[in-house]
């Protein structure tokens, strides 16, 4: 593959010239295939190489499903969180917000005693009357290893090995990012005014209508390993999750968007089960696609996955998906308890069916 973007060529050189694979070997020696080989170069019989992008509970749901169907899984996680324990650590120590990275690692833990014990440990939050109140154990562990090793990727790989994680977790950028949004009616007393709202936590809870989002800095560097993973994937999964604060931010990192545009991987967009109060109140499934397209008009998709019960107007969703070049796949992926949460087994079955039906590469299992 020939890079049309000089940014991607630079990142490819950075990744191949000495950055380590998760097992400590260089890319030429490690488990990862050479960058840029893409889906068409995958040997028959291999598992699909999947990259999932997002943040928070939406990405966790996707990872919990994907780890059931492939052993070659990478999560690329947004780093714009500024609330809770992550926000406090970010403000005090100037580090990347670790919370969404921690959640991704927990989702990749296995279902055995070891995996579930460590998932509970890193998700545990201290309860106290002092400054430790609300801090998550995993956040402190990740930040401690960042300080010890001085390398975001190596530290996260080490935590993953400790947990026995079924996949790799990478930040989308190595610098903390601020999410800003243009919001109409953020102040109910000025329903027609458009204000700039700063911070992921504030954007997620705005009572107004989000018009668009952007990142500060507006040209953040992507983590080279994240770009390499996207370029070398068989499938890239975007969503589900908080649309403006977890899904779209990946498209606002220029090098990552270039990789998503250039990759030979097939791309599936996984829609949410319901609008998110505040951020996407009143959004139809097709409206989610429309705002995605406004932020990344050159992005192409292959499949849009939606829960059958969450799509009242299939024709409109089909029309919106076709603008991205995508087919719509409807499946039952929600839990049966009535909450808008994905069932990992059902979601895994839906992903597995999509991977096999749309451009099957080989007998992965």
């Amino acid at each position: 593959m020939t890079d049309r973007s000089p940014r991607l060529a630079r990142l490819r050189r950075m990744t191949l010239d000495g950055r380590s694979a998760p097992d400590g070997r260089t890319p030429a020696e490690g488990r990862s295939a050479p960058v840029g080989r893409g889906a068409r170069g995958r040997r028959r019989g291999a598992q699909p190489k999947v990259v999932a992008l997002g943040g928070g509970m939406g990405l966790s749901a996707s990872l919990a499903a994907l780890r059931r169907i492939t052993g070659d899984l990478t999560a690329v996680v947004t780093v714009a969180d500024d609330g809770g324990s992550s926000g406090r650590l970010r403000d005090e120590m100037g580090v990347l917000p670790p919370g969404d990275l921690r959640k991704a690692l927990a989702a990749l833990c296995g279902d055995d005693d070891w995996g579930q014990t460590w998932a509970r440990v890193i998700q545990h939050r201290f309860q106290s009357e002092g400054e430790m109140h609300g801090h998550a154990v995993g956040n402190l562990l990740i930040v401690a290893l960042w300080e010890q090793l001085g390398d975001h990727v190596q530290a996260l790989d080490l935590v993953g090995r400790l947990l026995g994680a079924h996949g790799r977790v990478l930040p989308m950028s190595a610098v903390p990012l601020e999410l800003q949004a243009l919001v109409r009616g953020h102040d109910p007393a000025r329903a027609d005014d458009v204000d700039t709202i700063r911070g992921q936590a504030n954007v997620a809870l705005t009572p107004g209508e989000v018009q668009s989002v952007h990142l500060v800095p507006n040209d953040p560097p992507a983590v080279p390993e994240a770009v390499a993973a996207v370029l070398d994937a068989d499938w890239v999964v975007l969503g589900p999750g908080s649309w403006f604060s977890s899904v779209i931010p990946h498209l606002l990192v220029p090098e990552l968007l270039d990789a998503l545009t250039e990759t030979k991987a097939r791309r599936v967009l996984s829609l949410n089960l319901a609008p998110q109060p505040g951020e996407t109140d009143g959004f139809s499934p097709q409206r989610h696609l429309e705002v995605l397209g406004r932020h990344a008009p050159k992005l192409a998709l292959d499949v849009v996955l939606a829960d059958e019960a969450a799509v009242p107007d299939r024709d409109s969703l089909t029309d919106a998906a076709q603008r991205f070049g995508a087919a719509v796949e409807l499946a039952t992926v929600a839990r049966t308890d009535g909450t808008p949460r994905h069932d990992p087994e059902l979601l895994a079955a839906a992903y597995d069916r999509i991977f096999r039906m749309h451009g099957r590469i080989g007998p992965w299992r």
Side-chain angles (χ1 to χ4, degrees), residues 117-138:
T117 297
W118 274 110
R120 289 192 299 271
V121 168
I122 66 170
Q123 295 283 55
H124 175 76
R125 291 185 184 273
F126 294 104
Q127 302 295 319
S128 74
E129 300 297 326
E131 294 183 358
M132 288 295 293
H133 179 75
H135 274 306
V137 171

PDB file of all heavy atoms in Angstrom, residues 117-138:
ATOM      1  N   THR A 117     -11.041 -11.612  38.891  1.00  0.00           N
ATOM      2  CA  THR A 117     -10.497 -11.014  40.117  1.00  0.00           C
ATOM      3  C   THR A 117      -9.772  -9.719  39.803  1.00  0.00           C
ATOM      4  O   THR A 117      -9.995  -8.681  40.451  1.00  0.00           O
ATOM      5  CB  THR A 117      -9.544 -11.992  40.824  1.00  0.00           C
ATOM      6  OG1 THR A 117     -10.269 -13.153  41.220  1.00  0.00           O
ATOM      7  CG2 THR A 117      -8.916 -11.348  42.052  1.00  0.00           C
ATOM      8  N   TRP A 118      -8.915  -9.746  38.776  1.00  0.00           N
ATOM      9  CA  TRP A 118      -8.173  -8.537  38.439  1.00  0.00           C
ATOM     10  C   TRP A 118      -9.083  -7.462  37.857  1.00  0.00           C
ATOM     11  O   TRP A 118      -8.856  -6.265  38.078  1.00  0.00           O
ATOM     12  CB  TRP A 118      -7.042  -8.872  37.471  1.00  0.00           C
ATOM     13  CG  TRP A 118      -5.806  -9.315  38.184  1.00  0.00           C
ATOM     14  CD1 TRP A 118      -5.268 -10.557  38.215  1.00  0.00           C
ATOM     15  CD2 TRP A 118      -4.967  -8.482  38.991  1.00  0.00           C
ATOM     16  NE1 TRP A 118      -4.145 -10.572  39.000  1.00  0.00           N
ATOM     17  CE2 TRP A 118      -3.937  -9.308  39.489  1.00  0.00           C
ATOM     18  CE3 TRP A 118      -4.975  -7.138  39.352  1.00  0.00           C
ATOM     19  CZ2 TRP A 118      -2.927  -8.828  40.317  1.00  0.00           C
ATOM     20  CZ3 TRP A 118      -3.977  -6.657  40.177  1.00  0.00           C
ATOM     21  CH2 TRP A 118      -2.962  -7.483  40.652  1.00  0.00           C
ATOM     22  N   ALA A 119     -10.107  -7.859  37.129  1.00  0.00           N
ATOM     23  CA  ALA A 119     -11.054  -6.861  36.627  1.00  0.00           C
ATOM     24  C   ALA A 119     -11.708  -6.122  37.790  1.00  0.00           C
ATOM     25  O   ALA A 119     -11.859  -4.891  37.759  1.00  0.00           O
ATOM     26  CB  ALA A 119     -12.107  -7.533  35.749  1.00  0.00           C
ATOM     27  N   ARG A 120     -12.095  -6.869  38.832  1.00  0.00           N
ATOM     28  CA  ARG A 120     -12.698  -6.216  40.000  1.00  0.00           C
ATOM     29  C   ARG A 120     -11.688  -5.340  40.723  1.00  0.00           C
ATOM     30  O   ARG A 120     -12.027  -4.231  41.195  1.00  0.00           O
ATOM     31  CB  ARG A 120     -13.259  -7.268  40.955  1.00  0.00           C
ATOM     32  CG  ARG A 120     -14.503  -7.982  40.441  1.00  0.00           C
ATOM     33  CD  ARG A 120     -15.175  -8.787  41.548  1.00  0.00           C
ATOM     34  NE  ARG A 120     -14.310  -9.833  42.094  1.00  0.00           N
ATOM     35  CZ  ARG A 120     -14.228 -11.065  41.613  1.00  0.00           C
ATOM     36  NH1 ARG A 120     -14.947 -11.422  40.552  1.00  0.00           N
ATOM     37  NH2 ARG A 120     -13.430 -11.953  42.174  1.00  0.00           N
ATOM     38  N   VAL A 121     -10.444  -5.794  40.818  1.00  0.00           N
ATOM     39  CA  VAL A 121      -9.424  -5.027  41.540  1.00  0.00           C
ATOM     40  C   VAL A 121      -9.165  -3.684  40.862  1.00  0.00           C
ATOM     41  O   VAL A 121      -9.158  -2.634  41.516  1.00  0.00           O
ATOM     42  CB  VAL A 121      -8.122  -5.838  41.663  1.00  0.00           C
ATOM     43  CG1 VAL A 121      -6.976  -4.939  42.151  1.00  0.00           C
ATOM     44  CG2 VAL A 121      -8.304  -7.002  42.622  1.00  0.00           C
ATOM     45  N   ILE A 122      -8.936  -3.695  39.561  1.00  0.00           N
ATOM     46  CA  ILE A 122      -8.582  -2.423  38.920  1.00  0.00           C
ATOM     47  C   ILE A 122      -9.784  -1.492  38.803  1.00  0.00           C
ATOM     48  O   ILE A 122      -9.616  -0.270  38.688  1.00  0.00           O
ATOM     49  CB  ILE A 122      -7.922  -2.635  37.544  1.00  0.00           C
ATOM     50  CG1 ILE A 122      -8.898  -3.246  36.536  1.00  0.00           C
ATOM     51  CG2 ILE A 122      -6.661  -3.466  37.667  1.00  0.00           C
ATOM     52  CD1 ILE A 122      -8.351  -3.231  35.119  1.00  0.00           C
ATOM     53  N   GLN A 123     -10.989  -2.033  38.872  1.00  0.00           N
ATOM     54  CA  GLN A 123     -12.178  -1.195  38.840  1.00  0.00           C
ATOM     55  C   GLN A 123     -12.568  -0.690  40.232  1.00  0.00           C
ATOM     56  O   GLN A 123     -13.405   0.209  40.363  1.00  0.00           O
ATOM     57  CB  GLN A 123     -13.364  -1.967  38.245  1.00  0.00           C
ATOM     58  CG  GLN A 123     -13.197  -2.346  36.781  1.00  0.00           C
ATOM     59  CD  GLN A 123     -13.443  -1.174  35.842  1.00  0.00           C
ATOM     60  OE1 GLN A 123     -12.822  -0.120  35.955  1.00  0.00           O
ATOM     61  NE2 GLN A 123     -14.364  -1.353  34.923  1.00  0.00           N
ATOM     62  N   HIS A 124     -11.959  -1.253  41.274  1.00  0.00           N
ATOM     63  CA  HIS A 124     -12.319  -0.889  42.649  1.00  0.00           C
ATOM     64  C   HIS A 124     -12.004   0.581  42.923  1.00  0.00           C
ATOM     65  O   HIS A 124     -10.925   1.075  42.595  1.00  0.00           O
ATOM     66  CB  HIS A 124     -11.555  -1.759  43.647  1.00  0.00           C
ATOM     67  CG  HIS A 124     -11.787  -1.367  45.077  1.00  0.00           C
ATOM     68  ND1 HIS A 124     -12.956  -1.676  45.751  1.00  0.00           N
ATOM     69  CD2 HIS A 124     -11.018  -0.657  45.953  1.00  0.00           C
ATOM     70  CE1 HIS A 124     -12.874  -1.199  46.970  1.00  0.00           C
ATOM     71  NE2 HIS A 124     -11.719  -0.575  47.124  1.00  0.00           N
ATOM     72  N   ARG A 125     -12.947   1.270  43.549  1.00  0.00           N
ATOM     73  CA  ARG A 125     -12.756   2.668  43.935  1.00  0.00           C
ATOM     74  C   ARG A 125     -12.690   2.770  45.455  1.00  0.00           C
ATOM     75  O   ARG A 125     -13.489   2.171  46.174  1.00  0.00           O
ATOM     76  CB  ARG A 125     -13.895   3.554  43.410  1.00  0.00           C
ATOM     77  CG  ARG A 125     -13.883   3.712  41.911  1.00  0.00           C
ATOM     78  CD  ARG A 125     -14.935   4.694  41.427  1.00  0.00           C
ATOM     79  NE  ARG A 125     -14.972   4.773  39.980  1.00  0.00           N
ATOM     80  CZ  ARG A 125     -14.208   5.577  39.254  1.00  0.00           C
ATOM     81  NH1 ARG A 125     -13.359   6.401  39.868  1.00  0.00           N
ATOM     82  NH2 ARG A 125     -14.293   5.586  37.946  1.00  0.00           N
ATOM     83  N   PHE A 126     -11.744   3.556  45.929  1.00  0.00           N
ATOM     84  CA  PHE A 126     -11.590   3.757  47.360  1.00  0.00           C
ATOM     85  C   PHE A 126     -12.736   4.602  47.902  1.00  0.00           C
ATOM     86  O   PHE A 126     -13.199   5.550  47.253  1.00  0.00           O
ATOM     87  CB  PHE A 126     -10.256   4.446  47.663  1.00  0.00           C
ATOM     88  CG  PHE A 126      -9.054   3.605  47.327  1.00  0.00           C
ATOM     89  CD1 PHE A 126      -8.306   3.859  46.188  1.00  0.00           C
ATOM     90  CD2 PHE A 126      -8.669   2.555  48.153  1.00  0.00           C
ATOM     91  CE1 PHE A 126      -7.193   3.095  45.873  1.00  0.00           C
ATOM     92  CE2 PHE A 126      -7.563   1.784  47.856  1.00  0.00           C
ATOM     93  CZ  PHE A 126      -6.828   2.052  46.712  1.00  0.00           C
ATOM     94  N   GLN A 127     -13.180   4.244  49.082  1.00  0.00           N
ATOM     95  CA  GLN A 127     -14.213   5.003  49.779  1.00  0.00           C
ATOM     96  C   GLN A 127     -13.607   5.554  51.061  1.00  0.00           C
ATOM     97  O   GLN A 127     -13.156   4.790  51.920  1.00  0.00           O
ATOM     98  CB  GLN A 127     -15.409   4.106  50.106  1.00  0.00           C
ATOM     99  CG  GLN A 127     -16.045   3.439  48.892  1.00  0.00           C
ATOM    100  CD  GLN A 127     -16.682   4.445  47.950  1.00  0.00           C
ATOM    101  OE1 GLN A 127     -17.329   5.400  48.389  1.00  0.00           O
ATOM    102  NE2 GLN A 127     -16.497   4.233  46.652  1.00  0.00           N
ATOM    103  N   SER A 128     -13.547   6.856  51.170  1.00  0.00           N
ATOM    104  CA  SER A 128     -12.925   7.456  52.355  1.00  0.00           C
ATOM    105  C   SER A 128     -13.458   8.868  52.531  1.00  0.00           C
ATOM    106  O   SER A 128     -14.239   9.368  51.713  1.00  0.00           O
ATOM    107  CB  SER A 128     -11.398   7.483  52.207  1.00  0.00           C
ATOM    108  OG  SER A 128     -10.999   8.490  51.292  1.00  0.00           O
ATOM    109  N   GLU A 129     -12.995   9.499  53.584  1.00  0.00           N
ATOM    110  CA  GLU A 129     -13.333  10.898  53.833  1.00  0.00           C
ATOM    111  C   GLU A 129     -12.217  11.821  53.373  1.00  0.00           C
ATOM    112  O   GLU A 129     -12.295  13.033  53.562  1.00  0.00           O
ATOM    113  CB  GLU A 129     -13.590  11.116  55.339  1.00  0.00           C
ATOM    114  CG  GLU A 129     -14.731  10.286  55.898  1.00  0.00           C
ATOM    115  CD  GLU A 129     -16.060  10.632  55.267  1.00  0.00           C
ATOM    116  OE1 GLU A 129     -16.272  11.816  54.924  1.00  0.00           O
ATOM    117  OE2 GLU A 129     -16.875   9.706  55.077  1.00  0.00           O
ATOM    118  N   GLY A 130     -11.170  11.245  52.777  1.00  0.00           N
ATOM    119  CA  GLY A 130     -10.008  12.036  52.398  1.00  0.00           C
ATOM    120  C   GLY A 130      -9.806  12.137  50.904  1.00  0.00           C
ATOM    121  O   GLY A 130     -10.712  11.881  50.103  1.00  0.00           O
ATOM    122  N   GLU A 131      -8.565  12.454  50.520  1.00  0.00           N
ATOM    123  CA  GLU A 131      -8.255  12.723  49.128  1.00  0.00           C
ATOM    124  C   GLU A 131      -8.272  11.478  48.249  1.00  0.00           C
ATOM    125  O   GLU A 131      -8.342  11.586  47.027  1.00  0.00           O
ATOM    126  CB  GLU A 131      -6.895  13.421  49.028  1.00  0.00           C
ATOM    127  CG  GLU A 131      -6.877  14.808  49.652  1.00  0.00           C
ATOM    128  CD  GLU A 131      -5.546  15.499  49.478  1.00  0.00           C
ATOM    129  OE1 GLU A 131      -4.627  14.865  48.899  1.00  0.00           O
ATOM    130  OE2 GLU A 131      -5.412  16.656  49.904  1.00  0.00           O
ATOM    131  N   MET A 132      -8.177  10.299  48.856  1.00  0.00           N
ATOM    132  CA  MET A 132      -8.205   9.071  48.059  1.00  0.00           C
ATOM    133  C   MET A 132      -9.615   8.697  47.614  1.00  0.00           C
ATOM    134  O   MET A 132      -9.785   7.832  46.759  1.00  0.00           O
ATOM    135  CB  MET A 132      -7.614   7.906  48.859  1.00  0.00           C
ATOM    136  CG  MET A 132      -6.104   7.977  49.035  1.00  0.00           C
ATOM    137  SD  MET A 132      -5.251   7.826  47.446  1.00  0.00           S
ATOM    138  CE  MET A 132      -5.650   6.125  47.038  1.00  0.00           C
ATOM    139  N   HIS A 133     -10.617   9.339  48.170  1.00  0.00           N
ATOM    140  CA  HIS A 133     -12.001   8.964  47.865  1.00  0.00           C
ATOM    141  C   HIS A 133     -12.275   9.053  46.366  1.00  0.00           C
ATOM    142  O   HIS A 133     -11.987  10.063  45.715  1.00  0.00           O
ATOM    143  CB  HIS A 133     -12.975   9.881  48.614  1.00  0.00           C
ATOM    144  CG  HIS A 133     -14.412   9.563  48.315  1.00  0.00           C
ATOM    145  ND1 HIS A 133     -15.053   8.473  48.825  1.00  0.00           N
ATOM    146  CD2 HIS A 133     -15.321  10.188  47.515  1.00  0.00           C
ATOM    147  CE1 HIS A 133     -16.291   8.431  48.384  1.00  0.00           C
ATOM    148  NE2 HIS A 133     -16.482   9.463  47.594  1.00  0.00           N
ATOM    149  N   GLY A 134     -12.823   7.980  45.825  1.00  0.00           N
ATOM    150  CA  GLY A 134     -13.232   7.965  44.431  1.00  0.00           C
ATOM    151  C   GLY A 134     -12.157   7.546  43.447  1.00  0.00           C
ATOM    152  O   GLY A 134     -12.461   7.304  42.274  1.00  0.00           O
ATOM    153  N   HIS A 135     -10.910   7.474  43.900  1.00  0.00           N
ATOM    154  CA  HIS A 135      -9.858   7.046  42.985  1.00  0.00           C
ATOM    155  C   HIS A 135      -9.989   5.548  42.704  1.00  0.00           C
ATOM    156  O   HIS A 135     -10.230   4.746  43.607  1.00  0.00           O
ATOM    157  CB  HIS A 135      -8.470   7.328  43.558  1.00  0.00           C
ATOM    158  CG  HIS A 135      -7.977   8.715  43.284  1.00  0.00           C
ATOM    159  ND1 HIS A 135      -7.918   9.243  42.004  1.00  0.00           N
ATOM    160  CD2 HIS A 135      -7.511   9.685  44.114  1.00  0.00           C
ATOM    161  CE1 HIS A 135      -7.436  10.476  42.063  1.00  0.00           C
ATOM    162  NE2 HIS A 135      -7.186  10.769  43.335  1.00  0.00           N
ATOM    163  N   ALA A 136      -9.801   5.156  41.459  1.00  0.00           N
ATOM    164  CA  ALA A 136      -9.841   3.749  41.074  1.00  0.00           C
ATOM    165  C   ALA A 136      -8.442   3.158  41.155  1.00  0.00           C
ATOM    166  O   ALA A 136      -7.460   3.799  40.755  1.00  0.00           O
ATOM    167  CB  ALA A 136     -10.378   3.607  39.653  1.00  0.00           C
ATOM    168  N   VAL A 137      -8.357   1.937  41.667  1.00  0.00           N
ATOM    169  CA  VAL A 137      -7.062   1.277  41.815  1.00  0.00           C
ATOM    170  C   VAL A 137      -6.328   1.225  40.474  1.00  0.00           C
ATOM    171  O   VAL A 137      -5.125   1.500  40.392  1.00  0.00           O
ATOM    172  CB  VAL A 137      -7.244  -0.140  42.382  1.00  0.00           C
ATOM    173  CG1 VAL A 137      -5.932  -0.921  42.331  1.00  0.00           C
ATOM    174  CG2 VAL A 137      -7.763  -0.088  43.804  1.00  0.00           C
ATOM    175  N   GLY A 138      -7.045   0.865  39.421  1.00  0.00           N
ATOM    176  CA  GLY A 138      -6.408   0.758  38.114  1.00  0.00           C
ATOM    177  C   GLY A 138      -5.844   2.075  37.619  1.00  0.00           C
ATOM    178  O   GLY A 138      -4.801   2.106  36.955  1.00  0.00           O
TER     179      GLY A 138
END
